[in-house]
Amino acid sequence: MSDSKPIHAHAYPQPIIHTRSGLPAFQDKIRKGLPVTVAFLGGSITEGAGASDADKTSWRGLTQAWLEDRHGAGRVACINAGVGGTDSTFGAHRLQEHVLEHGPVDLLFVEFSVNDGTDRSESIRGMEGIVRGCKRRSPQTDLCFVYTAADKNLGPGVPFNIAVHEEVAAYYGIPSVNYASAIQQGVEEGRWTWRELAPDGVHPNDEGHALYARFAREFLEPFLETGLDAIAEAGHVTSMGRDVLSLPPLEAGNYEYGRMIRADSILSQRGFDYNGLQHRPVMNWRYDDGHLEALNEGASLSYIVTGRGTGLCLFMGPDSGILEYAVNGGPFQEVNLFDDWCKLAYRPVIIVLASGSEPAEMQVEVRNTGRKDMESLGTRLQVLRILSH
């Protein structure tokens, strides 16, 4: 940052932090010297994009190293559930497989303020689904929302996506750390420019990730002071004492019950083969890539789930075609699976096929139309997971 003023440790802008109900369960284990597990659920920024070493110089990796230094390397386990290009809707469906199936989790960082879009209700459904789904399946887990910077999350006032996430955080007493607010303060004070910290306007470089990690430490430090009592803002009881699930949901159709079901569990299919992903390049997926695949017109599959909604997680890439689907015998609807990102690599993308506010049994039929976008190289249909919520 050659054109910026020198930065002294004590002069760093501070992130806006709301401790709200605090981290009572996490803090209790820290005070007792017990092992803790910290999970990071988010998009590419949490996964480590932009860092020279995703596991060492990203904000997630640096936070893990600091926790190990403070609490003991043998007492801290961390889960990287950051997946590039994923929003809170996908995050709510990924929560079980990518976080909770690893075993007990004491602290869950949630970072989707950059990847969530402009649909306020959908963003609430995702973030609320993560909170309620986590507390339903893992009541002892404390949560914290993290708001990273991007062009859209910088500027005067509270940016839209952060404001929406704060609605959920305030309602449920979830702590939050606003990294973007500190970045914006530094920009206004002439300490740095955003492009110096994130050349593409989204993904921080090592210097940007180091700032994020510093902001995370500002939040966590009081909870690691073992002589202190549990920390909570005035007016907030601890999340241990507050029954999150007793609160009426903000959005009745939230993804509280979101989960992913392996594609090979589908019992009725014709013209599909079950394969691992053999095509390259691949981005945004480090997990089991077994999927049902069909190239030809007429290939079909059907499944039944019970829930408030369902969808598909698909691998989309340079040769993705056009599918059609019907729910409960209704008319078939087409989905063109090709977009500009498909030209670059194969990646997971979710589509919601049905959604409602009350649980119901849904029978879904999916077919390969044998047709394609004019820019696509083929008619491939690849079903990675079934979604249910």
Side-chain angles (χ1 to χ4, degrees):
M1 300 193 301
S2 56
D3 296 330
S4 298
K5 300 175 183 178
I7 301 172
H8 302 289
H10 67 275
Y12 269 83
Q14 300 297 301
I16 296 174
I17 294 173
H18 292 291
T19 56
R20 296 196 171 97
S21 295
L23 308 176
F26 174 78
Q27 187 180 24
D28 184 61
K29 294 187 76 170
I30 291 290
R31 293 179 69 176
K32 293 176 180 176
L34 299 174
V36 295
T37 296
V38 180
F40 298 80
L41 178 67
S44 58
I45 297 167
T46 289
E47 190 173 16
S52 60
D53 186 322
D55 289 326
K56 292 182 179 179
T57 62
S58 69
W59 80 269
R60 171 184 51 79
L62 292 169
T63 300
Q64 176 175 351
W66 177 79
L67 283 168
E68 290 173 343
D69 182 63
R70 286 293 308 271
H71 191 52
R75 296 195 184 105
V76 179
C78 289
I79 299 168
N80 174 13
V83 175
T86 61
D87 59 11
S88 64
T89 297
F90 200 171
H93 289 88
R94 293 197 295 113
L95 176 65
Q96 179 64 36
E97 180 178 327
H98 291 174
V99 176
L100 300 180
E101 283 186 3
H102 289 269
V105 173
D106 301 295
L107 173 58
L108 174 64
F109 284 105
V110 183
E111 176 267 315
F112 289 112
S113 68
V114 169
N115 284 2
D116 271 6
T118 58
D119 186 330
R120 174 183 171 277
S121 292
E122 184 64 16
S123 187
I124 290 177
R125 281 191 286 268
M127 295 300 286
E128 179 175 53
I130 291 169
V131 172
R132 296 180 70 95
C134 183
K135 287 298 185 180
R136 180 173 297 281
R137 298 160 179 153
S138 182
Q140 80 284 354
T141 301
D142 292 323
L143 295 90
C144 174
F145 288 1
V146 172
Y147 309 136
T148 50
D151 290 345
K152 69 174 185 176
N153 280 350
L154 296 173
V158 181
F160 171 79
N161 292 97
I162 293 175
V164 173
H165 289 197
E166 275 290 270
E167 282 188 62
V168 178
Y171 183 71
Y172 288 105
I174 304 298
S176 64
V177 188
N178 191 339
Y179 298 179
S181 66
I183 295 296
Q184 176 64 24
Q185 182 183 340
V187 170
E188 292 172 353
E189 294 174 353
R191 298 180 182 278
W192 49 63
T193 69
W194 176 225
R195 284 303 188 274
E196 287 176 316
L197 301 175
D200 67 357
V202 176
H203 303 102
N205 54 24
D206 281 355
E207 194 164 8
H209 274 288
L211 279 172
Y212 283 3
R214 183 184 184 89
F215 302 152
R217 293 196 298 271
E218 292 287 343
F219 166 70
L220 287 170
E221 184 82 47
F223 297 101
L224 271 67
E225 296 296 332
T226 56
L228 298 178
D229 291 330
I231 300 164
E233 287 181 6
H236 283 283
V237 296
T238 67
S239 57
M240 290 286 284
R242 179 175 184 166
D243 185 359
V244 163
L245 299 178
S246 70
L247 296 173
L250 295 168
E251 288 281 344
N254 71 73
Y255 304 124
E256 175 179 346
Y257 297 94
R259 62 191 177 109
M260 300 193 298
I261 305 166
R262 286 173 55 98
D264 58 354
S265 66
I266 294 174
L267 299 179
S268 176
Q269 62 88 9
R270 175 170 54 86
F272 281 82
D273 295 315
Y274 189 77
N275 300 311
L277 190 63
Q278 301 167 0
H279 323 295
R280 295 292 183 269
V282 178
M283 65 182 185
N284 300 343
W285 197 252
R286 308 182 310 277
Y287 304 94
D288 172 28
D289 62 5
H291 65 281
L292 285 169
E293 180 175 352
L295 298 174
N296 300 319
E297 178 182 1
S300 65
L301 61 83
S302 62
Y303 65 89
I304 298 174
V305 296
T306 299
R308 295 187 291 195
T310 186
L312 299 173
C313 177
L314 306 162
F315 272 135
M316 288 170 44
D319 57 356
S320 291
I322 296 173
L323 67 75
E324 60 182 7
Y325 72 93
V327 180
N328 294 333
F332 277 88
Q333 302 179 61
E334 286 192 358
V335 180
N336 184 348
L337 303 180
F338 192 85
D339 60 19
D340 285 341
W341 286 99
C342 288
K343 301 173 184 177
L344 302 178
Y346 290 90
R347 76 194 199 281
V349 177
I350 63 170
I351 57 173
V352 176
L353 306 181
S355 196
S357 59
E358 297 297 331
E361 183 177 272
M362 290 162 286
Q363 181 168 351
V364 180
E365 184 174 359
V366 180
R367 300 193 302 215
N368 188 333
T369 65
R371 292 181 286 108
K372 68 183 186 69
D373 186 275
M374 62 185 301
E375 294 191 66
S376 176
L377 301 178
T379 59
R380 193 181 303 274
L381 170 58
Q382 301 172 104
V383 180
L384 177 62
R385 298 285 193 276
I386 304 300
L387 306 182
S388 174
H389 53 262

